[in-house]
């Protein structure tokens, strides 16, 4: 493999990682739009190379999108994560790290986000420890133009502090919930992806 091919392969992998984080952010933040749902239903499920770690869980997610209508997925998102008061499943890190919302983990997260030069969109009602927000931060740290911020060291630090400690617990809670169908498949895919990310960052240590 030439240096140019190696560089292109690395860039493709980084683009794919950023796109996965973007997809996760969108699907956890809200039910998909009709266009998004349809794109999932027709998505390619075969990995470019044989033995892709994410291929099986991605295929199951696409199959779940095909098996459940947009209305079904919307109702499921509302049933699991919406409603007034306590949701069936929390999507906030503070809940899993401290047992309460708006606790010390959120304060630490806000400090780290500020250190990256980022700030929460004031139109976003959820706090920064919502899984969608964290996925968006990871996407920025991978695909952002500012190499002082968007680099592997910052990615590893943010992932190990604010993603890895609790997102797998959230995925377990979703997959164990009796109402979870499409989102159980999404949680399984998320679990596999987070595991792959953790292994990749461990290799950098």
């Amino acid at each position: 493999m030439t240096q140019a091919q190696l560089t292109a392969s690395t860039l493709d992998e980084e683009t794919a990682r950023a796109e996965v984080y973007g997809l996760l952010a969108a699907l956890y933040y809200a039910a998909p739009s009709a266009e998004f749902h349809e794109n999932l239903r027709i998505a390619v499920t075969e990995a470019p190379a044989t033995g892709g770690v994410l291929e099986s869980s991605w295929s199951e997610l696409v199959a779940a999108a095909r098996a459940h209508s947009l209305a079904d997925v919307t109702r499921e998102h509302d049933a699991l994560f919406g409603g007034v008061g306590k949701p069936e499943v929390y999507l906030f890190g503070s809940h899993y790290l401290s047992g309460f919302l708006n606790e010390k983990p959120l304060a630490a997260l806000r400090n780290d986000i500020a250190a990256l030069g980022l700030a929460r969109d004031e139109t976003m009602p959820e706090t920064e420890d919502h899984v969608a927000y964290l996925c968006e931060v990871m996407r920025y740290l991978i695909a952002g133009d500012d190499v002082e911020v968007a680099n592997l060291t910052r990615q590893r630090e943010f992932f190990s502090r604010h993603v890895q400690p609790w997102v797998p617990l959230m995925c377990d809670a979703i997959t164990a919930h009796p109402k979870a169908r499409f989102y159980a498949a999404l949680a399984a895919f998320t679990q596999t992806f987070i595991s792959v990310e953790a292994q990749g960052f461990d290799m950098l240590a």
Side-chain angles (χ1 to χ4, degrees), residues 38-175:
E38 183 58 26
N39 286 340
L40 272 178
R41 289 166 58 88
I42 63 174
V44 174
T45 55
E46 294 79 17
T50 56
V53 179
L54 294 174
E55 183 174 0
S56 177
S57 59
W58 172 251
S59 296
E60 291 174 4
L61 177 59
V62 172
R66 293 170 179 170
H68 299 282
S69 69
L70 177 60
D72 290 339
V73 175
T74 300
R75 281 193 294 268
E76 185 180 328
H77 188 280
D78 291 344
L80 292 174
F81 314 124
V84 178
K86 179 182 176 181
E88 296 280 323
V89 179
Y90 283 99
L91 298 178
F92 299 89
S94 292
H95 169 77
Y96 296 94
L97 296 172
S98 69
F100 301 95
L101 299 180
N102 302 322
E103 287 290 317
K104 289 182 179 179
L106 177 57
L109 171 63
R110 284 174 170 162
N111 288 336
D112 286 351
I113 288 173
L116 294 172
L118 303 176
R120 181 175 69 89
D121 186 340
E122 292 300 325
T123 64
M124 179 181 175
E126 288 79 8
T127 50
E128 292 89 337
D129 59 336
H130 190 287
V131 64
Y133 192 98
L134 297 180
C135 286
E136 282 292 347
V137 173
M138 284 299 299
R139 185 167 73 95
Y140 173 77
L141 294 179
I142 296 167
D145 294 329
D146 184 356
V147 295
E148 292 296 320
V149 175
N151 57 61
L152 280 170
T153 298
R154 294 294 184 97
Q155 291 170 38
R156 182 179 61 192
E157 291 172 350
F158 190 86
F159 179 88
S160 63
R161 291 192 66 181
H162 302 296
V163 178
Q164 189 176 10
W166 71 272
V167 172
L169 299 176
M170 179 199 75
C171 292
D172 288 341
I174 295 171
T175 54

